Amino acid sequence: MSQRIPTNIITGFLGAGKTTAILNLLQNKPAHENWAVLVNEFGEVGIDGAMMLESGAMIKEVAGGCMCCTAGVPTSVALTALLRLNPDRLLIEPTGLGHPHKILALLQSAQFNPYIEVKATLALLDPRHLSQEKYVSNANFNDQLAMADIVVANKQDLCTPSDIEAFEAWSAAQAPAKRATLFATNGDIEPALLEYTPINDGSAIEAEAHHHHHADMEPQFQLAPDQIYVRKENRGQGHFSCGWIFGAEKTFRFDGLMGMLNRLDAERIKGVMNTEQGCFAFNKASGVLSINALTLEGFESRIEVIHSQALDWDTLEQNLCQLFE
């Protein structure tokens, strides 16, 4: 490795648009550079990495919890594997329900500091959340913004004038001031932001620990020959998740799947699903469902639902299975 690899953490709460922002950054990176992405997810089945497969980036996933728990062996193994590929830049996406200061400490540790040049941490924020008590009273929400060097007020197109004023007031009140605060739509941000240097090493942020541990923290789950699907659940940080991986031979009815996800009341829904019309990425946040066509083939469908309380997972599972083509 001839030089230390520039590395950025891209953080933000559930539904802020982290994955979309990373996809835009990958699309607009210098053509001659090879970038890598390390994705950590609260859920167990790994959706975000699947959404990035078409980007051409080198992807590694650590599924199954917040970074405060997974910044140990699984994260170190995945990080080391990516560094051995000697990318021109490394992006790290922690779960929206975790505090990323642990991964920052890992990057600055004696183990990785010789190989990694820590650049600015970016936080994606939905400005509408600044007026909602459930967010502004959440320790993780505030800690993610506190440790960020750059804060991107995403989803500007969905904001009211009062939402914009609230973000501008919040930005002006930051001490020390952020390297930059800006508005964006659909996570469209300039790669030049990644070159900013950090102002905060995370050492002054004391995050309340909410640990939950797992015996099987594998980044991928392989289906046995006799399994049609596998289901994985997780809980922590005041949220519950349930995810499914379905065999690549299974296709879903597109219209039925879209209708079910539109009706489903959950804080966050993510999926990459094979349908009779092709493979699609489904993404629902703040009640809005977006659908994007993918060119993946022979891929195991996977879907994850995250909510502030446990839903009727059994019924949801039955409904999904009834949508088999």
Coordinates of all heavy atoms in Angstrom, one line a residue, residues 13-108:
F13 N -29.6 9.4 10.5 CA -30.6 8.6 11.1 C -31.4 7.8 10.1 O -31.2 8.1 8.9 CB -31.5 9.5 12.0 CG -32.1 8.8 13.2 CD1 -31.3 8.4 14.2 CD2 -33.5 8.5 13.2 CE1 -31.9 7.8 15.3 CE2 -34.0 7.8 14.3 CZ -33.2 7.5 15.3
L14 N -32.2 6.9 10.5 CA -33.0 6.1 9.6 C -33.8 7.0 8.6 O -34.4 8.0 8.9 CB -34.1 5.3 10.4 CG -33.6 4.1 11.1 CD1 -34.8 3.5 11.9 CD2 -33.0 3.1 10.2
G15 N -33.6 6.7 7.3 CA -34.4 7.3 6.3 C -33.8 8.7 5.8 O -34.5 9.4 5.1
A16 N -32.7 9.1 6.3 CA -32.1 10.4 5.9 C -31.6 10.4 4.5 O -31.4 11.5 3.9 CB -31.0 10.8 6.9
G17 N -31.3 9.2 3.9 CA -30.8 9.2 2.6 C -29.3 8.8 2.4 O -28.7 9.2 1.4
K18 N -28.8 8.1 3.4 CA -27.3 7.8 3.3 C -27.0 7.0 2.1 O -26.0 7.3 1.3 CB -26.9 7.0 4.6 CG -27.1 7.8 5.9 CD -26.5 7.0 7.0 CE -27.3 5.7 7.3 NZ -28.7 5.9 7.6
T19 N -27.7 5.9 1.8 CA -27.4 5.0 0.7 C -27.5 5.7 -0.6 O -26.7 5.6 -1.5 CB -28.3 3.8 0.8 OG1 -28.1 3.1 2.0 CG2 -27.9 2.8 -0.4
T20 N -28.6 6.5 -0.8 CA -28.8 7.3 -2.0 C -27.6 8.3 -2.2 O -27.1 8.4 -3.3 CB -30.1 8.1 -1.9 OG1 -31.2 7.2 -1.7 CG2 -30.3 8.8 -3.2
A21 N -27.2 8.9 -1.1 CA -26.0 9.8 -1.3 C -24.8 9.1 -1.7 O -24.0 9.6 -2.5 CB -25.8 10.6 0.1
I22 N -24.5 7.9 -1.1 CA -23.4 7.2 -1.5 C -23.4 6.7 -2.9 O -22.4 6.8 -3.7 CB -23.2 6.0 -0.5 CG1 -22.8 6.5 0.9 CG2 -22.1 5.0 -1.0 CD1 -22.7 5.4 1.9
L23 N -24.6 6.3 -3.4 CA -24.8 5.9 -4.8 C -24.5 7.1 -5.7 O -23.8 6.9 -6.7 CB -26.2 5.4 -5.0 CG -26.5 4.0 -4.4 CD1 -28.0 3.7 -4.5 CD2 -25.7 2.9 -5.1
N24 N -24.9 8.3 -5.3 CA -24.6 9.5 -6.1 C -23.1 9.8 -6.1 O -22.5 10.1 -7.2 CB -25.4 10.7 -5.6 CG -26.8 10.6 -6.0 OD1 -27.2 10.2 -7.1 ND2 -27.7 11.1 -5.2
L25 N -22.5 9.6 -5.0 CA -21.0 9.9 -4.9 C -20.3 8.9 -5.8 O -19.3 9.2 -6.5 CB -20.6 9.8 -3.5 CG -21.0 10.9 -2.5 CD1 -20.7 10.5 -1.1 CD2 -20.2 12.2 -2.9
L26 N -20.7 7.6 -5.8 CA -20.0 6.6 -6.6 C -20.2 6.9 -8.1 O -19.3 6.7 -8.9 CB -20.6 5.2 -6.2 CG -20.3 4.7 -4.8 CD1 -21.0 3.4 -4.6 CD2 -18.8 4.5 -4.7
Q27 N -21.4 7.4 -8.4 CA -21.7 7.7 -9.8 C -20.8 8.9 -10.3 O -20.5 8.9 -11.5 CB -23.2 8.0 -10.0 CG -23.6 8.2 -11.5 CD -25.1 8.4 -11.6 OE1 -25.8 8.4 -10.6 NE2 -25.5 8.5 -12.8
N28 N -20.5 9.8 -9.4 CA -19.8 11.0 -9.8 C -18.3 11.0 -9.4 O -17.7 12.1 -9.5 CB -20.5 12.2 -9.2 CG -21.9 12.4 -9.7 OD1 -22.1 12.4 -10.9 ND2 -22.9 12.5 -8.9
K29 N -17.8 9.9 -9.0 CA -16.4 9.8 -8.6 C -15.5 10.0 -9.9 O -16.0 9.7 -11.0 CB -16.1 8.5 -7.9 CG -16.1 7.3 -8.8 CD -15.7 6.1 -8.0 CE -15.8 4.8 -8.9 NZ -14.8 4.9 -10.0
P30 N -14.3 10.3 -9.7 CA -13.4 10.3 -10.8 C -13.3 8.9 -11.5 O -13.3 7.9 -10.9 CB -12.0 10.6 -10.2 CG -12.3 11.4 -9.0 CD -13.6 10.8 -8.4
A31 N -13.4 8.9 -12.8 CA -13.6 7.7 -13.6 C -12.4 6.7 -13.4 O -12.6 5.5 -13.5 CB -13.8 8.0 -15.1
H32 N -11.2 7.3 -13.1 CA -10.0 6.4 -13.0 C -9.9 5.8 -11.6 O -8.9 5.0 -11.4 CB -8.8 7.2 -13.4 CG -8.5 8.3 -12.5 ND1 -9.2 9.5 -12.5 CD2 -7.6 8.4 -11.5 CE1 -8.7 10.3 -11.6 NE2 -7.7 9.7 -10.9
E33 N -10.7 6.2 -10.7 CA -10.5 5.8 -9.3 C -11.4 4.6 -9.0 O -12.6 4.5 -9.5 CB -10.8 6.9 -8.3 CG -9.8 8.0 -8.4 CD -10.0 9.0 -7.2 OE1 -10.9 8.9 -6.4 OE2 -9.2 10.0 -7.2
N34 N -10.9 3.7 -8.1 CA -11.7 2.6 -7.6 C -12.0 2.8 -6.1 O -11.1 3.0 -5.3 CB -10.9 1.3 -7.7 CG -10.7 0.9 -9.2 OD1 -11.6 0.9 -10.0 ND2 -9.5 0.5 -9.5
W35 N -13.3 2.9 -5.8 CA -13.7 3.2 -4.4 C -14.3 1.9 -3.8 O -14.7 1.0 -4.5 CB -14.8 4.2 -4.4 CG -14.3 5.6 -4.8 CD1 -13.1 5.9 -5.3 CD2 -15.0 6.9 -4.5 NE1 -13.0 7.3 -5.5 CE2 -14.1 7.9 -5.0 CE3 -16.2 7.2 -4.0 CZ2 -14.5 9.2 -4.9 CZ3 -16.6 8.5 -3.9 CH2 -15.7 9.5 -4.4
A36 N -14.2 1.9 -2.5 CA -14.8 0.8 -1.7 C -15.8 1.3 -0.7 O -15.7 2.5 -0.2 CB -13.6 0.0 -0.9
V37 N -16.7 0.5 -0.3 CA -17.8 0.9 0.7 C -17.9 -0.2 1.7 O -18.1 -1.4 1.4 CB -19.1 1.1 0.0 CG1 -20.1 1.6 1.0 CG2 -19.0 2.1 -1.2
L38 N -17.9 0.2 3.0 CA -18.2 -0.7 4.1 C -19.5 -0.3 4.7 O -19.7 0.8 5.1 CB -17.1 -0.6 5.2 CG -17.3 -1.5 6.4 CD1 -17.4 -2.9 6.1 CD2 -16.2 -1.2 7.5
V39 N -20.5 -1.2 4.6 CA -21.8 -1.0 5.1 C -22.2 -1.7 6.3 O -21.9 -2.9 6.4 CB -22.9 -1.4 4.0 CG1 -24.3 -1.0 4.4 CG2 -22.5 -0.7 2.7
N40 N -22.7 -1.0 7.3 CA -23.2 -1.7 8.6 C -24.6 -1.4 8.7 O -25.1 -0.3 8.5 CB -22.4 -1.1 9.8 CG -23.1 -1.5 11.1 OD1 -23.6 -0.6 11.8 ND2 -23.2 -2.8 11.4
E41 N -25.4 -2.4 8.9 CA -26.9 -2.3 9.0 C -27.4 -2.8 10.3 O -26.9 -3.8 10.9 CB -27.6 -3.0 7.9 CG -27.2 -2.4 6.5 CD -28.2 -2.9 5.4 OE1 -29.4 -2.6 5.5 OE2 -27.7 -3.5 4.5
F42 N -28.5 -2.1 10.8 CA -29.1 -2.6 12.0 C -29.8 -3.9 11.8 O -29.8 -4.8 12.6 CB -30.2 -1.5 12.4 CG -31.0 -2.0 13.6 CD1 -30.5 -1.9 14.9 CD2 -32.3 -2.4 13.4 CE1 -31.3 -2.3 16.0 CE2 -33.1 -2.8 14.5 CZ -32.6 -2.7 15.8
G43 N -30.4 -4.1 10.6 CA -31.0 -5.4 10.3 C -30.0 -6.5 10.0 O -28.8 -6.2 9.9
E44 N -30.5 -7.7 9.8 CA -29.7 -8.9 9.7 C -29.5 -9.3 8.2 O -28.7 -10.3 8.0 CB -30.3 -10.0 10.5 CG -30.5 -9.7 12.0 CD -29.2 -10.0 12.7 OE1 -28.2 -10.5 12.1 OE2 -29.2 -9.9 13.9
V45 N -30.1 -8.8 7.2 CA -30.1 -9.4 5.9 C -29.3 -8.6 4.9 O -29.2 -9.1 3.7 CB -31.5 -9.7 5.4 CG1 -32.2 -10.7 6.3 CG2 -32.3 -8.5 5.1
G46 N -28.9 -7.4 5.2 CA -28.0 -6.7 4.2 C -28.6 -6.2 3.0 O -28.5 -6.8 1.9
I47 N -29.4 -5.1 3.1 CA -30.0 -4.5 1.9 C -29.2 -3.5 1.2 O -29.1 -3.5 0.0 CB -31.4 -3.8 2.3 CG1 -32.2 -4.8 3.1 CG2 -32.1 -3.3 1.1 CD1 -32.7 -6.0 2.4
D48 N -28.6 -2.6 2.0 CA -27.8 -1.5 1.3 C -26.7 -1.9 0.4 O -26.5 -1.4 -0.7 CB -27.3 -0.5 2.4 CG -28.3 0.2 3.1 OD1 -29.5 0.2 2.7 OD2 -28.1 0.8 4.2
G49 N -26.0 -2.9 0.8 CA -24.9 -3.5 0.0 C -25.5 -4.0 -1.3 O -24.8 -3.8 -2.4
A50 N -26.6 -4.7 -1.2 CA -27.3 -5.2 -2.4 C -27.6 -4.0 -3.4 O -27.5 -4.2 -4.6 CB -28.5 -6.0 -2.1
M51 N -28.1 -2.9 -2.8 CA -28.4 -1.8 -3.7 C -27.2 -1.2 -4.4 O -27.4 -0.5 -5.4 CB -29.1 -0.7 -2.8 CG -30.5 -1.1 -2.3 SD -31.3 0.3 -1.4 CE -32.9 -0.4 -1.0
M52 N -26.0 -1.4 -3.8 CA -24.8 -0.8 -4.4 C -24.1 -1.7 -5.4 O -23.1 -1.3 -5.9 CB -23.9 -0.4 -3.3 CG -24.4 0.6 -2.3 SD -23.2 1.0 -1.0 CE -24.2 1.9 0.1
L53 N -24.6 -2.9 -5.6 CA -23.9 -3.9 -6.4 C -23.6 -3.4 -7.8 O -22.6 -3.7 -8.4 CB -24.6 -5.2 -6.4 CG -24.6 -6.1 -5.1 CD1 -25.4 -7.3 -5.3 CD2 -23.1 -6.5 -4.8
E54 N -24.5 -2.6 -8.3 CA -24.4 -2.1 -9.7 C -23.4 -0.9 -9.8 O -23.1 -0.5 -10.9 CB -25.7 -1.7 -10.3 CG -26.7 -2.9 -10.5 CD -27.9 -2.5 -11.2 OE1 -28.5 -1.4 -10.8 OE2 -28.4 -3.2 -12.1
S55 N -23.0 -0.4 -8.7 CA -22.1 0.8 -8.7 C -20.7 0.6 -9.2 O -20.0 1.5 -9.6 CB -22.1 1.4 -7.3 OG -21.3 0.6 -6.5
G56 N -20.3 -0.7 -9.2 CA -18.9 -1.0 -9.6 C -17.9 -0.9 -8.4 O -16.7 -1.1 -8.6
A57 N -18.4 -0.4 -7.3 CA -17.5 -0.3 -6.1 C -17.3 -1.6 -5.4 O -18.1 -2.6 -5.7 CB -18.1 0.7 -5.1
M58 N -16.2 -1.7 -4.7 CA -16.0 -2.9 -3.9 C -16.8 -2.8 -2.6 O -16.6 -1.8 -1.8 CB -14.5 -3.0 -3.6 CG -13.6 -3.1 -4.8 SD -11.8 -2.9 -4.6 CE -11.7 -1.1 -4.6
I59 N -17.6 -3.8 -2.3 CA -18.6 -3.7 -1.2 C -18.3 -4.8 -0.2 O -18.1 -5.9 -0.5 CB -20.0 -3.8 -1.7 CG1 -20.3 -2.9 -2.9 CG2 -21.0 -3.6 -0.6 CD1 -20.3 -1.4 -2.5
K60 N -18.4 -4.4 1.1 CA -18.4 -5.3 2.2 C -19.5 -4.9 3.2 O -19.7 -3.8 3.4 CB -17.0 -5.4 2.9 CG -15.9 -6.1 2.2 CD -16.1 -7.6 2.1 CE -14.9 -8.3 1.5 NZ -15.1 -9.7 1.4
E61 N -20.1 -5.9 3.8 CA -21.2 -5.7 4.7 C -20.9 -6.3 6.1 O -20.4 -7.3 6.2 CB -22.5 -6.2 4.2 CG -23.1 -5.5 2.9 CD -24.4 -6.1 2.5 OE1 -24.4 -7.3 2.0 OE2 -25.4 -5.5 2.7
V62 N -21.4 -5.5 7.1 CA -21.4 -6.1 8.4 C -22.9 -5.9 8.9 O -23.3 -4.7 9.2 CB -20.5 -5.4 9.4 CG1 -20.6 -6.0 10.8 CG2 -19.0 -5.5 8.9
A63 N -23.7 -6.9 8.9 CA -25.1 -6.8 9.3 C -25.3 -7.1 10.7 O -24.4 -7.7 11.4 CB -25.9 -7.7 8.4
G64 N -26.4 -6.7 11.3 CA -26.9 -7.2 12.5 C -26.6 -6.4 13.7 O -26.3 -6.9 14.8
G65 N -26.6 -5.0 13.7 CA -26.5 -4.3 14.9 C -25.9 -2.9 14.7 O -25.4 -2.6 13.6
C66 N -25.9 -2.2 15.8 CA -25.3 -0.8 15.7 C -23.7 -0.9 15.8 O -23.2 -1.9 16.2 CB -25.8 0.0 16.9 SG -25.2 -0.5 18.5
M67 N -23.1 0.1 15.3 CA -21.6 0.1 15.2 C -21.0 -0.1 16.6 O -19.8 -0.6 16.7 CB -21.2 1.4 14.6 CG -20.0 1.4 13.6 SD -19.8 -0.1 12.6 CE -19.9 0.7 10.9
C68 N -21.6 0.3 17.6 CA -21.0 0.2 19.0 C -20.8 -1.3 19.3 O -19.9 -1.6 20.1 CB -21.9 0.9 20.0 SG -23.5 0.1 20.3
C69 N -21.6 -2.2 18.7 CA -21.4 -3.6 18.9 C -20.6 -4.3 17.9 O -19.8 -5.2 18.1 CB -22.8 -4.3 19.0 SG -23.8 -3.9 20.4
T70 N -20.7 -3.8 16.6 CA -20.0 -4.4 15.5 C -18.7 -3.8 15.1 O -18.1 -4.2 14.2 CB -20.9 -4.4 14.3 OG1 -21.3 -3.1 14.0 CG2 -22.2 -5.2 14.5
A71 N -18.2 -2.9 15.9 CA -16.9 -2.3 15.7 C -15.8 -3.2 16.2 O -14.7 -2.7 16.6 CB -16.8 -0.9 16.3
G72 N -16.1 -4.5 16.4 CA -15.1 -5.4 16.9 C -14.6 -6.3 15.7 O -14.2 -5.8 14.7
V73 N -14.6 -7.6 15.9 CA -14.0 -8.5 15.0 C -14.7 -8.4 13.6 O -14.0 -8.3 12.6 CB -14.0 -9.9 15.5 CG1 -13.6 -10.9 14.4 CG2 -13.1 -10.1 16.7
P74 N -16.0 -8.5 13.5 CA -16.6 -8.5 12.1 C -16.2 -7.2 11.3 O -15.9 -7.3 10.1 CB -18.1 -8.5 12.4 CG -18.3 -9.2 13.8 CD -17.1 -8.6 14.5
T75 N -16.3 -6.1 12.0 CA -15.9 -4.8 11.3 C -14.5 -4.8 10.9 O -14.1 -4.4 9.8 CB -16.3 -3.6 12.1 OG1 -17.7 -3.6 12.4 CG2 -16.0 -2.3 11.4
S76 N -13.6 -5.2 11.8 CA -12.2 -5.2 11.5 C -11.8 -6.2 10.4 O -11.0 -5.8 9.5 CB -11.4 -5.7 12.8 OG -11.5 -4.7 13.8
V77 N -12.5 -7.3 10.3 CA -12.2 -8.3 9.3 C -12.6 -7.7 7.9 O -11.9 -7.7 6.9 CB -13.0 -9.6 9.5 CG1 -12.9 -10.5 8.3 CG2 -12.4 -10.3 10.7
A78 N -13.9 -7.1 7.9 CA -14.4 -6.5 6.6 C -13.5 -5.3 6.2 O -13.2 -5.2 5.0 CB -15.8 -6.1 6.8
L79 N -13.1 -4.5 7.1 CA -12.3 -3.4 6.9 C -10.9 -3.8 6.3 O -10.4 -3.2 5.3 CB -12.1 -2.5 8.1 CG -11.4 -1.2 8.0 CD1 -12.1 -0.3 7.0 CD2 -11.4 -0.5 9.4
T80 N -10.3 -4.8 6.9 CA -9.0 -5.3 6.5 C -9.1 -5.8 5.0 O -8.2 -5.6 4.2 CB -8.5 -6.4 7.4 OG1 -8.3 -5.8 8.7 CG2 -7.2 -6.9 6.9
A81 N -10.2 -6.6 4.8 CA -10.4 -7.1 3.4 C -10.5 -6.0 2.4 O -9.9 -6.2 1.3 CB -11.6 -8.0 3.4
L82 N -11.1 -4.9 2.7 CA -11.2 -3.8 1.7 C -9.9 -3.1 1.5 O -9.5 -2.8 0.4 CB -12.3 -2.8 2.2 CG -13.8 -3.3 2.0 CD1 -14.7 -2.3 2.6 CD2 -14.1 -3.6 0.6
L83 N -9.2 -2.9 2.6 CA -7.9 -2.3 2.5 C -6.9 -3.0 1.7 O -6.0 -2.5 1.0 CB -7.3 -2.0 3.9 CG -8.1 -1.0 4.8 CD1 -7.4 -0.9 6.2 CD2 -8.1 0.4 4.2
R84 N -7.0 -4.4 1.7 CA -6.1 -5.2 0.9 C -6.3 -5.0 -0.5 O -5.4 -5.3 -1.4 CB -6.3 -6.7 1.3 CG -5.6 -7.0 2.7 CD -5.8 -8.5 3.0 NE -5.1 -8.8 4.3 CZ -5.5 -9.7 5.1 NH1 -6.6 -10.5 4.8 NH2 -4.8 -10.0 6.2
L85 N -7.5 -4.5 -0.9 CA -7.8 -4.2 -2.3 C -7.2 -2.9 -2.8 O -7.3 -2.6 -3.9 CB -9.3 -4.3 -2.5 CG -10.0 -5.6 -2.3 CD1 -11.5 -5.5 -2.4 CD2 -9.5 -6.7 -3.2
N86 N -6.7 -2.1 -1.8 CA -6.0 -0.8 -2.1 C -6.9 0.1 -2.9 O -6.5 0.6 -4.0 CB -4.7 -1.1 -2.8 CG -3.8 0.2 -2.7 OD1 -3.9 1.0 -1.8 ND2 -2.9 0.3 -3.7
P87 N -8.1 0.4 -2.4 CA -9.0 1.4 -3.1 C -8.4 2.8 -3.1 O -7.6 3.1 -2.2 CB -10.3 1.3 -2.4 CG -9.9 0.9 -1.0 CD -8.7 0.0 -1.1
D88 N -8.9 3.6 -4.0 CA -8.5 5.0 -3.9 C -9.3 5.8 -2.9 O -8.8 6.9 -2.4 CB -8.8 5.6 -5.3 CG -7.9 5.0 -6.4 OD1 -6.7 5.3 -6.3 OD2 -8.4 4.3 -7.2
R89 N -10.4 5.3 -2.5 CA -11.2 5.9 -1.4 C -12.1 4.9 -0.7 O -12.5 4.0 -1.4 CB -12.0 7.1 -1.8 CG -12.8 7.8 -0.7 CD -13.5 9.1 -1.2 NE -12.6 10.1 -1.6 CZ -12.0 11.0 -0.8 NH1 -12.2 11.0 0.5 NH2 -11.2 11.9 -1.4
L90 N -12.3 5.0 0.6 CA -13.2 4.1 1.3 C -14.3 5.0 2.0 O -14.0 6.0 2.7 CB -12.4 3.4 2.4 CG -13.2 2.6 3.4 CD1 -13.9 1.4 2.7 CD2 -12.2 2.0 4.5
L91 N -15.5 4.6 1.7 CA -16.7 5.2 2.4 C -17.3 4.2 3.4 O -17.4 3.0 3.0 CB -17.7 5.5 1.3 CG -17.3 6.5 0.2 CD1 -18.5 6.7 -0.7 CD2 -16.8 7.8 0.8
I92 N -17.6 4.6 4.5 CA -18.2 3.8 5.6 C -19.6 4.3 5.9 O -19.8 5.4 6.3 CB -17.3 3.7 6.8 CG1 -15.9 3.1 6.4 CG2 -18.0 2.9 7.9 CD1 -15.0 3.1 7.6
E93 N -20.6 3.4 5.8 CA -22.0 3.8 6.1 C -22.4 3.0 7.4 O -22.8 1.8 7.3 CB -22.9 3.4 5.0 CG -24.4 3.8 5.3 CD -25.4 3.2 4.3 OE1 -24.9 2.7 3.3 OE2 -26.6 3.4 4.5
P94 N -22.4 3.6 8.6 CA -22.9 3.0 9.8 C -24.4 2.9 9.8 O -25.1 3.7 9.0 CB -22.4 3.9 10.9 CG -21.4 4.8 10.3 CD -21.8 5.0 8.9
T95 N -25.0 2.0 10.6 CA -26.4 1.9 10.7 C -27.0 3.3 11.2 O -26.4 4.0 12.0 CB -26.8 0.8 11.7 OG1 -28.2 0.9 12.0 CG2 -26.1 0.9 13.0
G96 N -28.2 3.6 10.7 CA -28.9 4.8 11.1 C -29.3 4.8 12.6 O -29.8 5.8 13.1
L97 N -29.2 3.6 13.2 CA -29.6 3.5 14.6 C -28.5 3.4 15.6 O -28.6 3.1 16.8 CB -30.6 2.3 14.8 CG -32.0 2.5 14.2 CD1 -32.7 1.2 14.3 CD2 -32.7 3.6 14.9
G98 N -27.3 3.6 15.1 CA -26.1 3.5 15.9 C -25.3 4.8 16.1 O -25.6 5.8 15.4
H99 N -24.4 4.8 17.0 CA -23.5 5.9 17.1 C -22.2 5.6 16.5 O -21.5 4.7 16.8 CB -23.3 6.2 18.6 CG -22.6 7.5 18.8 ND1 -21.3 7.8 18.3 CD2 -23.0 8.7 19.4 CE1 -21.0 9.0 18.6 NE2 -22.0 9.6 19.3
P100 N -21.7 6.4 15.5 CA -20.5 6.1 14.7 C -19.2 6.4 15.3 O -18.2 6.2 14.7 CB -20.7 6.9 13.4 CG -21.5 8.0 13.8 CD -22.5 7.6 14.9
H101 N -19.2 6.9 16.6 CA -17.9 7.3 17.2 C -17.0 6.1 17.4 O -15.8 6.2 17.4 CB -18.2 8.0 18.5 CG -18.3 7.2 19.7 ND1 -19.5 6.5 19.9 CD2 -17.5 6.9 20.7 CE1 -19.4 5.8 21.1 NE2 -18.2 6.1 21.6
K102 N -17.6 4.9 17.5 CA -16.8 3.7 17.7 C -16.0 3.3 16.5 O -14.9 2.9 16.5 CB -17.7 2.5 18.1 CG -18.3 2.6 19.5 CD -17.2 2.3 20.6 CE -17.8 2.2 22.0 NZ -16.8 2.0 23.0
I103 N -16.7 3.5 15.3 CA -16.0 3.2 14.1 C -14.9 4.2 13.8 O -13.8 3.9 13.3 CB -16.9 3.1 12.9 CG1 -16.2 2.5 11.7 CG2 -17.6 4.4 12.5 CD1 -15.7 1.1 11.8
L104 N -15.1 5.5 14.2 CA -14.1 6.5 14.1 C -12.9 6.2 15.0 O -11.8 6.3 14.5 CB -14.7 7.9 14.5 CG -13.7 9.1 14.4 CD1 -13.2 9.2 13.0 CD2 -14.4 10.4 14.8
A105 N -13.2 5.7 16.2 CA -12.1 5.3 17.0 C -11.3 4.1 16.5 O -10.1 4.1 16.6 CB -12.6 5.0 18.4
L106 N -12.0 3.2 15.8 CA -11.3 2.1 15.2 C -10.4 2.5 14.0 O -9.3 2.1 13.9 CB -12.4 1.1 14.7 CG -11.8 -0.2 14.0 CD1 -11.1 -1.1 15.0 CD2 -13.0 -1.0 13.4
L107 N -10.9 3.5 13.2 CA -10.1 4.0 12.1 C -8.9 4.7 12.6 O -7.8 4.6 11.9 CB -11.0 4.9 11.3 CG -12.2 4.4 10.6 CD1 -12.9 5.5 9.8 CD2 -11.9 3.2 9.7
Q108 N -8.9 5.3 13.8 CA -7.8 6.1 14.3 C -6.9 5.2 15.2 O -5.9 5.7 15.8 CB -8.3 7.3 15.1 CG -9.0 8.3 14.2 CD -9.7 9.4 14.9 OE1 -10.1 9.2 16.1 NE2 -9.8 10.6 14.3

